[in-house]
Amino acid sequence: MKRAVSDRAGGEGSHHHAVQLYETDAFLVTAVRDFLVPALEQGDAAIAVATAAHRDQLAESLTQAGFDVAALRDRGLYTDLDAGELLNTFMLGGSPDRTLFQKNVGTLIAQASAGGRSVRVFGEMVARLWAEGDVAAALALEDLWNELAESHAFSLFCGYPMTAFEQEAATLAFTKVCEQHSHVRPSESFTGNTDNEELMRNVAVLQQRAQVGMFESQALREKQAELQQALARLEELDRLRNDFIAMVVHDIRSPNAIVIGFLEILRTNWRDFPDDQIDELLSKGVDSARQVARIVSDMLTVAKLEAREFTFDVQSVDLTQCIYRTVAAVTEATSRTIDVEVPGNLPRVTADEARQMQILNNLLTNAIKFSSPESAVSVTAVASGGEVVVGVRDEGIGIPTAEIPRLFRRFTRVDDPSHRDVKGTGLGLYISKGLVEGQGGRIWVDSEVGRGSEFNYTVPIDI
Ligand code: ADP
């Protein structure tokens, strides 16, 4: 292997402490194998202190190179240990302890070098500390290795993934790592074939700069994509808002025109109308004025919910009574029959009574609006866990599955002619969700086109 540490990495002369930068595990494992093989071939000792994955890959690579790894282990010529476990034997209070390191790692090296054998060590404890973000401990450990080399003969090979140095902030530490090693080996993106130490060191420095550049441009690309998405969301919101304004203007204008029209007729001609016609005109006028008031009130509720200024008057509430009162009001307003199924022992809930009635009213009004007059509409309530689940079921037109995720967003109206024909502002469910959640509950819907819908929401039980 052209740039793996050469056979000269014996133990003689000054301490041999190489760092191999790498991008892929495969490259690292081959480089480590090429570093350890000369020792094994000469009957010397090799130690690998690595992650489980790297130990397995290394053993396989040595086996493929013709070594009987199990036999080498038995003879004490090949020792592979878990980086994390060995690290734990000398870490104290978050830093490597000098005395424990000298004792535990020193003994390991001394045992391997029994009989005058030279020792080659592949170590990944430092890279592990680095990966955990503990750069100071990693640099301290590199120093301890260098110090150990003053009393023990071994050559050391460290591996660092390039990603460890991708942040600009890691540059200083990278320079320090390079200084701590007698040999610096660039990662596999450098394909040049050279023994020139200075050149390789310089290439590694350039690789780290490039890695930072790549990381930053990737981060920039991600930021750009995020901004693009935010912009698209804003544009969508803007479009919805404009549609909404157009819709509200339309929805307010028509009933308002009716109120004005009737009042005008009555002002100029009321003496000519019989009493029953006056009564009818006034009733229609009141209905239209109520419609305007409802739209305005919905918009105010939305504004308050969004500004988190909506206040809930939460207390112990008799939900059963609340349900029956709402059902009676909706029945009277719509002349539809609504079935109610509530157990006699339904527990009291902690809620804002008026808001509970508003939620149920919204869901019942929808159930009635989106179903044929003769079909069934029902309300159920059951206690489950610490909450009561209230359900509103209809046998109406249903909601396409694809529309369900956006149903509780504001201004949502299902984009289908059967839905568009029914009057509405698309605020009811958005408000209901805000009101349910504001009282500590959840709301969801199950629906099938042509078969009907079931909205459920929860209210915390009063304890
Ligand atoms: P609005 O009814 O005022 O348009 P909502 O927020 O209450 O606003 O409802 C949003 C949309 O959800 C409705 O326009 C309708 O398309 C759909 N929807 C709500 N409830 C039902 C239901 N029970 N059956 C079918 N569609 C429904």
Side-chain angles (χ1 to χ4, degrees), residues 255 259 283-297:
V259 175
S283 299
K284 285 189 174 156
V286 168
D287 279 353
S288 298
R290 282 210 177 108
Q291 206 176 327
V292 174
R294 191 179 54 77
I295 295 170
V296 172
S297 145

Side-chain angles (χ1 to χ4, degrees), residues 366 369-370 394 399 407 412-414 419 424-426 428-429 453:
N366 277 348
K369 273 198 310 190
F370 295 100
D394 67 64
I399 301 157
L407 211 59
T412 296
R413 310 210 56 220
V414 171
H419 288 252
T425 52
L429 290 179
S453 310

Side-chain angles (χ1 to χ4, degrees), residues 85-143:
E85 278 172 23
L86 186 58
L87 202 55
N88 284 340
T89 67
F90 58 80
M91 289 298 284
L92 263 191
S95 344
D97 179 81
R98 191 166 165 272
T99 315
L100 285 174
F101 177 83
Q102 291 269 350
K103 183 170 161 280
N104 297 339
V105 181
T107 308
L108 188 72
I109 307 267
Q111 278 169 355
S113 56
R117 287 193 292 254
S118 81
V119 181
R120 291 189 179 204
V121 184
F122 164 57
E124 258 191 327
M125 292 187 289
V126 183
R128 201 191 137 111
L129 285 173
W130 196 288
E132 285 166 0
D134 207 346
V135 175
L139 294 175
L141 182 53
E142 290 287 16
D143 282 340

